């Protein structure tokens, strides 16, 4: 959604790198580019003025002039001011002390209220609540049926005593206010602790829409009134938000369709203009594509700093703890990493959702956006098909997979033999790396291994002193500079001759002798010995 804004801001900050101090001209140029980027992204003009004025004032102040790295300090200021226009701090749902918590959804027709009701119900269910969805939109054709379908997908019950209209030619019947009131009573009787009321929308702002929304609000007295706004709506987002704020006095904002490719900056203006926080964001079409809105994390995404915290939360929510402990135990016991383990880990990753979305949350992902956009999610399906085409014995002992077996696996999985060969090669490399890590020998190609692991790259030991001190391996033994240079050249030539051609991770070292590695019995087969 914010790709264009992110790219413009990132390019602007590149001009500040390496500067020991910033002049007023540097600050003016930076603020001017930020203003252009925000206006191009459809951010409301009053918000842009306020934002750039705050950035310029702070950038010319002592916090930048006295900083060791002025460029980074300006980025920090922009990050903090972005958080402010996005609402400042994370705002959570205010739960009722007694009785069910009532959440009312309001917004224009087509903003995605009905779908979002199901997503919110699924999110509340995952949080340990017992939500109920109430179908009070009796005006839009098939709105009640749509909510029932979304409710089934989310696994959340729906209260729908009236079918609503089924065609645009039908006259609306039924009383949506009474349906909402009865829905809350039904939830209280069935011990549901949260009620989500879906209301009707209009194609534009009119008094009939606002009157019905106010009547429902007065009837059910909601704890939260969430204004659902299409993040792709453009500059009209601000006018629509102000109208609903005056009409129903909403308490929070939900951004829908945040996965679209529109500029989306107008949605960023809503919190600043109305003074109401953005509470949730809908990021896709599935019922799980819904997340709580964190202003600090969104600001980091816009500035291409990544969103690792959200990534960790998704992993913790979807990752199978028992499977993780089993894998950790195999790692500790230095057992062979098999295709069965590989398949289990791949299935765990699939549970977390789209690989593209996960990778885009990593810091610096904007620099490889084109590669990520070209990434084919079906590649994971092909790899899984190859592994599932293997016999159980082949998965635990991949060394037995010869040419005829590879041809059979390729036929069974619908891929070419070369694709099977590539997977086998990548798996063999991963197997060796896992074994080295388990033994504390570090990752091949990384000097000193990994710090903190046994045998890894910890602090270098000081050489022993005195006559009995051993000479450094491969070091020069001559004090004559010319002779020392000649010895170093000979050692370098010797090292190149011993280096294996085309080693997997670009290592320049020699292959270790298995006898010196204290390997478990039978491991020599994985070293090709």
């Amino acid at each position: 959604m914010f790709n264009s804004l992110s790219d413009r801001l990132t390019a602007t900050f590149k001009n500040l790198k390496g500067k020991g101090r910033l002049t007023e001209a540097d600050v003016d140029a930076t603020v001017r580019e930020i203003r252009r980027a925000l206006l191009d992204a459809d951010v409301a003009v009053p918000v842009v003025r306020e934002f750039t004025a705050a950035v310029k004032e702070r950038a010319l102040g002592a916090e930048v002039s006295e900083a060791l790295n002025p460029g980074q300090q300006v980025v920090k200021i922009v990050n903090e001011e972005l958080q402010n226009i996005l609402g400042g701090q994370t705002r959570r749902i205010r739960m009722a002390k007694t009785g069910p918590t009532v959440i009312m959804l309001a917004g224009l027709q087509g903003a995605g209220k009905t779908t979002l009701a199901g997503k919110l119900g699924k999110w509340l269910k995952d949080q340990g609540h017992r939500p109920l969805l109430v179908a009070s939109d009796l005006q839009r054709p098939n709105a009640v049926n749509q909510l029932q379908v979304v409710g089934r997908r989310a696994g959340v019950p729906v209260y729908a005593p009236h079918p609503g209209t089924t065609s645009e030619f039908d006259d609306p019947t039924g009383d949506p206010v009474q349906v909402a009131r009865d829905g809350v009573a039904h939830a209280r009787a069935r011990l549901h602790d949260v009620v989500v009321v879906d209301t009707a929308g209009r194609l534009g702002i009119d008094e009939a829409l606002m009157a019905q929304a106010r009547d429902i609000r007065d009837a059910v007295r909601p704890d939260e009134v969430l204004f659902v706004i299409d993040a792709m709506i453009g500059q009209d987002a601000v006018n629509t938000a102000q109208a609903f704020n005056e009409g129903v006095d909403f308490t929070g904002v939900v951004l829908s369709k945040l996965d679209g490719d529109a500029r989306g900056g107008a949605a960023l203006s809503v919190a600043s203009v109305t003074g109401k926080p953005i509470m949730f964001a809908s990021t896709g079409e599935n019922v799980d594509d819904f997340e709580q809105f964190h202003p600090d994390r969104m600001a980091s995404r816009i500035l291409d700093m990544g969103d690792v915290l959200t990534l960790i939360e998704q992993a913790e929510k979807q990752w199978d703890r028992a499977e993780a402990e089993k894998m950790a135990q195999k790692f500790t016991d230095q057992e062979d990493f098999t295709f069965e383990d590989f398949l289990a880990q791949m299935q765990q990753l699939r549970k977390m959702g789209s690989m593209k979305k996960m990778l885009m949350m990593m810091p610096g992902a904007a620099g490889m956006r084109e590669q990520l956009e070209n990434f084919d999610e079906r590649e994971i399906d092909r790899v899984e098909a190859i592994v599932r085409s293997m016999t159980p014995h082949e998965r635990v002992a991949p060394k037995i997979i010869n040419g005829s077996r590879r041809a059979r696996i390729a036929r069974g999985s619908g891929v070419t033999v070369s694709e099977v060969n590539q997977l086998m090669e990548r798996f063999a490399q991963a197997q060796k790396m896992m074994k080295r890590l388990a033994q504390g020998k570090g990752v091949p190609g990384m000097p000193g291994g990994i710090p903190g692991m046994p045998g890894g790259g910890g602090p270098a030991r000081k050489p022993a002193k005195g006559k009995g001190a051993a000479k450094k391996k491969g070091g020069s033994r001559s004090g004559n500079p010319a002779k020392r240079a000649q010895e170093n050249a000979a050692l370098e030539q010797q090292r190149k001759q011993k280096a294996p051609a085309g080693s997997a991770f670009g290592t320049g070292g020699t292959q270790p002798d298995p006898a010196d590695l204290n390997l478990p019995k039978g491991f020599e087969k994985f070293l090709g010995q």
Side-chain angles (χ1 to χ4, degrees), residues 333-397:
D333 295 342
Q334 298 186 20
E335 295 183 21
D336 292 345
F337 181 69
T338 66
F339 269 114
E340 291 285 0
D341 302 322
F342 181 70
L343 188 61
Q345 297 301 304
M346 196 161 54
Q347 289 171 336
Q348 295 275 43
L349 282 173
R350 287 176 68 94
K351 289 181 184 177
M352 292 176 62
S354 168
M355 288 292 292
K356 286 183 184 178
K357 288 184 179 180
M358 287 191 289
L359 292 171
M360 285 303 294
M361 291 183 189
M362 300 299 291
M368 52 180 182
R369 184 178 294 129
E370 186 176 345
Q371 295 93 314
L372 291 177
E373 289 298 330
N374 293 329
F375 174 73
D376 187 359
E377 299 273 0
R378 293 172 299 178
E379 181 66 26
I380 300 175
D381 297 330
R382 284 191 283 269
V383 171
E384 184 172 348
I386 293 172
V387 177
R388 290 193 180 279
S389 295
M390 299 177 184
T391 65
H393 184 47
E394 287 171 343
R395 294 180 196 176
V396 297

Side-chain angles (χ1 to χ4, degrees), residues 484-504:
R484 186 164 61 245
Q486 191 177 16
E487 288 177 349
N488 287 340
L491 286 170
E492 180 66 17
Q493 183 66 27
Q494 184 181 5
R495 186 186 68 79
K496 287 181 178 178
Q497 290 174 352
K498 289 183 179 180
S503 54

Side-chain angles (χ1 to χ4, degrees), residues 50-121:
E50 183 181 346
F51 178 84
T52 52
V55 170
K56 184 174 181 179
E57 181 182 355
R58 292 182 60 184
L60 293 174
E63 63 178 307
V64 172
S65 61
E66 297 175 4
L68 293 176
N69 191 323
Q72 290 181 359
Q73 198 69 18
V74 171
V75 176
K76 176 176 177 289
I77 290 171
V78 173
N79 185 35
E80 291 173 356
E81 293 300 326
L82 264 179
Q83 293 179 36
N84 289 336
I85 70 169
L86 290 171
Q89 295 183 350
T90 303
R91 163 80 152 72
R92 305 185 186 278
I93 293 178
R94 288 192 293 255
M95 306 301 291
K97 293 182 180 178
T98 58
T101 300
V102 180
I103 301 173
M104 172 181 163
L105 302 181
L108 291 179
Q109 186 172 310
K113 290 191 304 299
T114 302
T115 303
L116 195 130
K119 293 181 177 182
L120 179 58

Side-chain angles (χ1 to χ4, degrees), residues 106 112 115 121 123 149 169 181 194 273 311 316 358 371 394 422-423:
T115 303
W123 184 85
V149 171
F169 302 106
R181 188 184 290 113
V194 184
V273 170
L311 197 58
E316 288 178 340
M358 287 191 289
Q371 295 93 314
E394 287 171 343
Q422 289 171 7
L423 176 62

Side-chain angles (χ1 to χ4, degrees), residues 38-39 41-51 235 238 265-270 273:
L38 294 174
L39 290 173
D42 264 349
V43 179
V45 174
V47 177
V48 174
R49 285 201 193 102
E50 183 181 346
F51 178 84
Q235 281 290 341
V238 174
L268 303 182
S269 312
V270 172
V273 170

